[in-house]
Amino acid sequence: MQANNLTLTSWVEVPEDSDFPIQNLPFGIFRTKSNPAPRVCTAIGDYAADLAVMNYLSLFDELEIGNEVFNNRYLNDLMALGKAKTNALRNRIASLLDAKNDEAKDLAWHFLHPMEKVEMLLPVKAGDYTDFYSSMEHATNVGAMFRDPAHALLPNWKHMPIGYHGRASSIVVSGTPIRRPLGQTLPDGADRPVFGPSRLLDFELEMAFVIGTPTSLGEQVTTAQAEDHIFGLMLFNDWSARDIQKWEYVPLGPFLGKNFASTISPWVVTLEALEPFRIGGPEQDPLPLPYLQYEGKKRFDVNLEVQIQPGGGEPFTVCRSNFKNMYWNMAQQLAHHTVGGCNLNTGDLCASGTISGSTPGSYGSMLELAWKGTKPLKLPDGTERKFILDGDTVIMKGWGKANGVRIGFGEATGKVLPALEY
Ligand code: CA
């Protein structure tokens, strides 16, 4: 793929540590003060490039994509065009931004906007959202904390990608404040619940993939076909109220402890841009049922990081993990999701589940990092954290680096506001 050519450079200046070199070219939805209509853009260095204007300028004429696809509140119509078209678009953008091609250079003032002057909006309209539970380290930690450490994984865990149907309506874009939820909790030792703000508010470090090409009702997608349906990935913070979750989850699973908010990063990084980071494994023992077996490299080596920034303070890194810390890969998740005939629509999101590594500094939630509140984290300002406090901002970042080229996801951030009065 031309856009992935590691020797390409752009006539747009790209700082060395940028998430957005010419090899990335993610898609997003943005608007500006002077033009508040939402439209499709890509990122290059510290700039957002307005693809609606580039299409008006006839720069994509050979692709024959209607203006309405780019003058759009969401990426769904673009994603639904299919990979042949969207990959051709990404390659065309790469060619127009290539340092060796000055065809679009004189027009740049029409379509390039400094990133700090644009507002990034929720990029996809998700009709449905599914949350998996696919990091063995996370599932083992949670099982050890709440059940028997010797039998931390439940008997089904190594036989299928465990998941549940989440809530799509409360998915918000990075930067949206998060209100501490109210709900029922059962205080330790009490025999009846109380109502009030969650006291154990947590983040979950996850990646989400978005469906581009839909599947039809009754259609089973194989592990070999699955990636044809995955348009791209985002950072995903699956905010969780642990105390609400603990009281409500038996027997049907999480509900209000999970449905008040999830934060996604604004840039959808295409699966194609992540090609340099493919890796194989891990070995799966026992061997999964045939419909979950796969060939090739299906995991991705993407560094992940979580910071907590106290109100008025500096960001402090509390977790360094990696997207490769997944037992079940996206192709297996999608094959499992559809094996009973469930259809997936363009824009649907599937999140990985909390991505924890094997060392304490790589755990992807406060529940694990502070081990159920027994090992509080010390922040540089002298305060301690067992869970997330009002005024804290949680910042997630992700990037892969290969052969000197860094492909990043930007950030997924959310500041926690005090609960409403009740
Ligand atoms: Ca989750």
Side-chain angles (χ1 to χ4, degrees):
M1 169 155 296
Q2 183 186 339
N4 283 9
N5 183 341
L6 294 174
T7 63
L8 272 193
T9 55
S10 177
W11 48 262
V12 181
E13 193 195 327
V14 177
E16 202 175 328
D17 59 346
S18 173
D19 280 347
F20 307 117
I22 192 169
Q23 288 82 3
N24 191 345
L25 301 179
F27 293 97
I29 298 288
F30 85 121
R31 64 182 173 192
T32 53
K33 277 215 173 74
S34 59
N35 182 358
R39 52 219 193 264
V40 176
C41 61
T42 189
I44 178 79
D46 293 333
Y47 293 86
D50 185 333
L51 302 189
V53 165
M54 292 176 83
N55 199 41
Y56 274 128
L57 292 170
S58 295
L59 293 170
F60 306 141
D61 273 6
E62 281 174 22
L63 298 169
E64 296 183 334
I65 302 174
N67 286 325
E68 71 283 357
V69 171
F70 296 108
N71 284 296
N72 207 305
R73 174 60 191 85
Y74 296 105
L75 294 175
N76 292 42
D77 290 346
L78 177 77
M79 297 189 296
L81 295 176
K83 284 207 181 228
K85 191 69 103 176
T86 54
N87 287 342
L89 173 65
R90 192 166 154 267
N91 284 331
R92 175 63 180 153
I93 298 166
S95 142
L96 289 166
L97 298 175
D98 183 350
K100 294 194 192 76
N101 180 4
D102 56 11
E103 168 182 9
K105 205 171 168 180
D106 291 344
L107 301 168
W109 65 276
H110 288 288
F111 62 81
L112 282 189
H113 299 267
M115 206 77 94
E116 72 269 14
K117 295 209 168 160
V118 310
E119 181 189 1
M120 296 304 298
L121 304 174
L122 188 68
V124 299
K125 184 167 181 58
D128 282 296
Y129 149 52
T130 301
D131 194 21
F132 284 98
Y133 191 55
S134 290
S135 146
M136 185 161 73
E137 285 73 17
H138 173 67
T140 303
N141 286 341
V142 173
M145 256 182 265
F146 290 103
R147 288 186 304 272
D148 167 12
H151 305 91
L153 284 184
L154 288 169
N156 57 12
W157 201 90
K158 283 193 167 182
H159 292 282
M160 61 180 160
I162 298 295
Y164 71 98
H165 289 119
R167 185 75 197 167
S169 65
S170 53
I171 294 172
V172 297
V173 73
S174 177
T176 307
I178 304 300
R179 181 72 66 182
R180 180 179 295 273
L182 296 165
Q184 283 196 27
T185 58
L186 186 69
D188 284 343
D191 60 0
R192 56 181 56 209
V194 297
F195 180 77
S198 166
R199 288 167 296 111
L200 308 183
L201 182 60
D202 202 353
F203 60 81
E204 289 191 333
L205 170 63
E206 307 196 18
M207 298 290 290
F209 67 81
V210 61
I211 298 297
T213 304
T215 72
S216 41
L217 191 63
E219 177 185 358
Q220 295 172 333
V221 176
T222 66
T223 54
Q225 297 162 335
E227 289 182 352
D228 296 341
H229 296 271
I230 299 174
F231 180 80
L233 286 88
M234 287 147 281
L235 302 166
F236 194 94
N237 181 353
D238 189 26
W239 296 94
S240 299
R242 300 295 180 196
D243 42 357
I244 296 173
Q245 184 182 355
K246 189 181 175 193
W247 169 233
E248 75 180 357
Y249 88 104
V250 178
L252 286 188
F255 193 32
L256 306 197
K258 294 283 189 174
N259 72 3
F260 56 96
S262 307
T263 300
I264 59 174
S265 51
W267 296 105
V268 182
V269 175
T270 63
L271 203 55
E272 287 68 28
L274 296 175
E275 282 300 323
F277 312 111
R278 273 189 192 275
I279 52 169
E283 191 191 339
Q284 295 183 325
D285 182 21
L287 192 66
L289 287 165
Y291 80 95
L292 288 171
Q293 293 171 18
Y294 69 95
E295 286 178 4
K297 299 176 176 178
K298 300 285 188 195
R299 283 194 303 170
F300 293 84
D301 183 357
V302 175
N303 302 292
L304 300 170
E305 192 174 297
V306 184
Q307 297 177 317
I308 295 176
Q309 181 174 19
E314 293 298 313
F316 177 66
T317 300
V318 295
C319 161
R320 287 188 176 90
S321 186
N322 191 301
F323 190 36
K324 71 184 177 189
N325 295 326
M326 300 279 288
Y327 187 83
W328 298 103
N329 58 55
M330 293 182 285
Q332 292 178 307
Q333 291 171 339
L334 217 151
H336 185 64
H337 206 310
T338 59
V339 77
C342 173
N343 52 328
L344 292 162
N345 292 312
T346 300
D348 284 359
L349 290 174
C350 291
S352 56
T354 308
I355 305 166
S356 296
S358 54
T359 56
S362 67
Y363 296 165
S365 66
M366 287 303 290
L367 178 69
E368 297 162 88
L369 288 165
W371 206 257
K372 223 175 150 186
T374 60
K375 298 174 182 172
L377 299 187
K378 285 189 173 43
L379 266 55
D381 64 1
T383 60
E384 288 189 342
R385 289 295 179 287
K386 296 176 179 175
F387 289 91
I388 300 301
L389 301 181
D390 290 347
D392 285 351
T393 301
V394 175
I395 303 163
M396 294 183 176
K397 302 179 189 186
W399 70 95
K401 199 163 184 182
N403 304 310
V405 173
R406 173 185 163 119
I407 305 287
F409 284 79
E411 291 184 354
T413 74
K415 181 175 183 173
V416 173
L417 305 181
L420 294 172
E421 290 194 29
Y422 61 99

Coordinates of all heavy atoms in Angstrom, one line a residue, residues 129 131-133 138 164 204 206 236 238 240 258 351-354, ligand 1:
Y129 N -22.7 -1.4 20.6 CA -21.4 -1.5 21.1 C -21.3 -2.8 21.9 O -22.1 -3.1 22.8 CB -21.1 -0.2 22.0 CG -20.2 -0.4 23.1 CD1 -18.9 -1.0 23.0 CD2 -20.5 0.0 24.4 CE1 -18.1 -1.2 24.0 CE2 -19.7 -0.2 25.5 CZ -18.5 -0.8 25.3 OH -17.6 -1.0 26.4
D131 N -18.6 -5.2 24.3 CA -17.4 -5.1 25.1 C -16.9 -6.5 25.4 O -17.6 -7.3 25.9 CB -17.7 -4.4 26.4 CG -16.4 -4.0 27.1 OD1 -15.3 -3.9 26.4 OD2 -16.4 -3.7 28.3
F132 N -15.7 -6.8 24.9 CA -15.1 -8.1 25.2 C -14.3 -8.1 26.5 O -14.3 -7.1 27.2 CB -14.2 -8.6 24.0 CG -15.1 -9.0 22.8 CD1 -15.4 -8.1 21.8 CD2 -15.6 -10.3 22.8 CE1 -16.2 -8.6 20.7 CE2 -16.4 -10.7 21.7 CZ -16.7 -9.8 20.7
Y133 N -13.6 -9.2 26.8 CA -13.0 -9.4 28.1 C -11.8 -10.3 27.8 O -11.6 -11.4 28.3 CB -14.0 -10.1 29.0 CG -13.7 -10.2 30.4 CD1 -13.4 -9.1 31.2 CD2 -13.7 -11.5 31.1 CE1 -13.1 -9.3 32.6 CE2 -13.5 -11.6 32.4 CZ -13.2 -10.5 33.2 OH -12.9 -10.6 34.5
H138 N -5.9 -9.5 32.7 CA -7.0 -8.7 33.3 C -8.0 -9.7 33.9 O -8.4 -9.6 35.1 CB -7.7 -7.8 32.4 CG -8.9 -7.1 32.9 ND1 -8.9 -6.2 33.9 CD2 -10.2 -7.3 32.6 CE1 -10.1 -5.8 34.2 NE2 -10.9 -6.5 33.4
Y164 N -20.1 -8.9 26.3 CA -21.5 -8.6 26.6 C -21.9 -7.4 25.7 O -21.0 -6.7 25.2 CB -21.7 -8.3 28.1 CG -21.1 -6.9 28.6 CD1 -21.9 -5.8 28.7 CD2 -19.8 -6.9 28.9 CE1 -21.3 -4.6 29.1 CE2 -19.2 -5.7 29.3 CZ -20.0 -4.5 29.4 OH -19.4 -3.3 29.8
E204 N -11.1 2.0 32.3 CA -10.6 0.7 31.7 C -9.9 1.0 30.4 O -10.5 1.6 29.5 CB -11.8 -0.3 31.5 CG -12.3 -0.8 32.8 CD -13.3 -2.0 32.6 OE1 -13.9 -2.1 31.5 OE2 -13.4 -2.8 33.5
E206 N -8.8 0.3 27.0 CA -9.2 -0.6 25.9 C -8.9 0.0 24.6 O -8.6 1.2 24.4 CB -10.7 -0.9 26.0 CG -11.1 -1.4 27.4 CD -12.5 -2.1 27.5 OE1 -13.0 -2.5 26.4 OE2 -13.0 -2.2 28.6
F236 N -10.1 3.6 23.7 CA -11.4 3.4 24.3 C -11.3 3.4 25.8 O -10.6 2.5 26.4 CB -12.1 2.2 23.8 CG -13.5 2.1 24.0 CD1 -14.5 2.5 23.1 CD2 -14.0 1.5 25.2 CE1 -15.8 2.4 23.3 CE2 -15.4 1.4 25.4 CZ -16.3 1.8 24.5
D238 N -13.4 2.6 28.9 CA -14.7 2.1 29.3 C -14.9 2.4 30.8 O -14.7 1.5 31.7 CB -14.7 0.6 29.0 CG -16.1 0.0 29.2 OD1 -17.1 0.7 29.1 OD2 -16.2 -1.2 29.5
S240 N -16.0 2.8 34.5 CA -16.7 1.8 35.3 C -16.9 2.3 36.7 O -15.9 2.8 37.3 CB -15.8 0.5 35.3 OG -15.7 0.0 34.0
K258 N -21.7 0.5 34.1 CA -21.0 0.7 32.9 C -21.6 1.6 31.9 O -20.9 2.0 30.9 CB -20.9 -0.7 32.2 CG -20.1 -1.7 33.0 CD -18.6 -1.5 32.8 CE -17.8 -2.6 33.4 NZ -16.4 -2.5 33.1
A351 N -15.2 -3.3 21.6 CA -14.0 -3.0 22.5 C -13.3 -4.3 23.0 O -14.0 -5.3 23.1 CB -14.4 -2.1 23.6
S352 N -12.0 -4.1 23.2 CA -11.2 -5.3 23.5 C -11.4 -5.9 24.9 O -11.2 -7.1 25.1 CB -9.7 -4.9 23.4 OG -9.5 -3.8 24.3
G353 N -11.9 -5.1 25.8 CA -11.8 -5.4 27.2 C -10.5 -4.8 27.8 O -9.6 -4.5 27.0
T354 N -10.5 -4.6 29.1 CA -9.3 -4.0 29.7 C -8.0 -4.7 29.3 O -8.0 -5.9 29.4 CB -9.5 -4.0 31.2 OG1 -10.8 -3.5 31.5 CG2 -8.4 -3.2 31.9
Ligands
CA1 CA -14.7 -3.1 29.7

